Amino acid sequence: MKKSTWIWLTATGALMLLCPWISSLFKGMAGFAIVVLLLYVVDPVFCFATGIFAGRAWRQRWWLILTAPVLYLAGAWLFVAPFESTFLIYAVGCLSIGLLAMTGTAAFLVKRPEREKRGK
């Protein structure tokens, strides 16, 4: 595995496990606000970015799009609400975002050399 993949995997683990843990430290509405921010902004954007990163070398990094939803699910079940089924549905949604981003990036990078050949 390349160094960039290890760095991305470390960032995924830190973001998906530490953020739910940090939100569990706050009591009341502050912790809830952090969870909502994670659910609607941070995690979908990170899953999209992971899909783009994995799509650049999809044959070696296809498994990387699975790590963010699985680690988020582990963090949410450990620190926010144990075995809440809505987090499972959310993880499938994040997986879909990453899969679409990876597929789109891989298709774009495959088609790009063909477009350059036609232009010559």
Side-chain angles (χ1 to χ4, degrees):
M1 240 184 335
K2 291 184 176 182
K3 184 178 178 180
S4 61
T5 306
W6 278 109
I7 291 171
W8 196 272
L9 191 59
T10 304
T12 301
L15 182 69
M16 297 297 166
L17 292 174
L18 289 179
C19 287
W21 176 70
I22 289 172
S23 72
S24 70
L25 296 177
F26 293 98
K27 300 297 178 200
M29 294 305 284
F32 180 72
I34 293 172
V35 169
V36 168
L37 186 66
L38 285 173
L39 281 173
Y40 292 114
V41 179
V42 176
D43 292 339
V45 169
F46 189 78
C47 287
F48 187 77
T50 300
I52 292 172
F53 180 72
R56 296 186 64 161
W58 65 273
R59 292 183 184 177
Q60 292 84 25
R61 298 180 188 155
W62 63 268
W63 55 272
L64 205 55
I65 62 167
L66 299 172
T67 58
V70 168
L71 288 175
Y72 176 77
L73 193 60
W77 279 352
L78 283 172
F79 303 117
V80 179
F83 302 106
E84 180 68 37
S85 63
T86 55
F87 289 127
L88 185 61
I89 296 168
Y90 178 76
V92 170
C94 282
L95 178 64
S96 301
I97 290 171
L99 183 63
L100 288 172
M102 182 183 74
T103 305
T105 303
F108 178 76
L109 291 177
V110 167
K111 296 283 184 184
R112 190 172 60 183
E114 292 175 10
R115 281 188 236 139
E116 290 174 359
K117 289 177 187 176
R118 281 187 269 152
K120 290 184 178 179

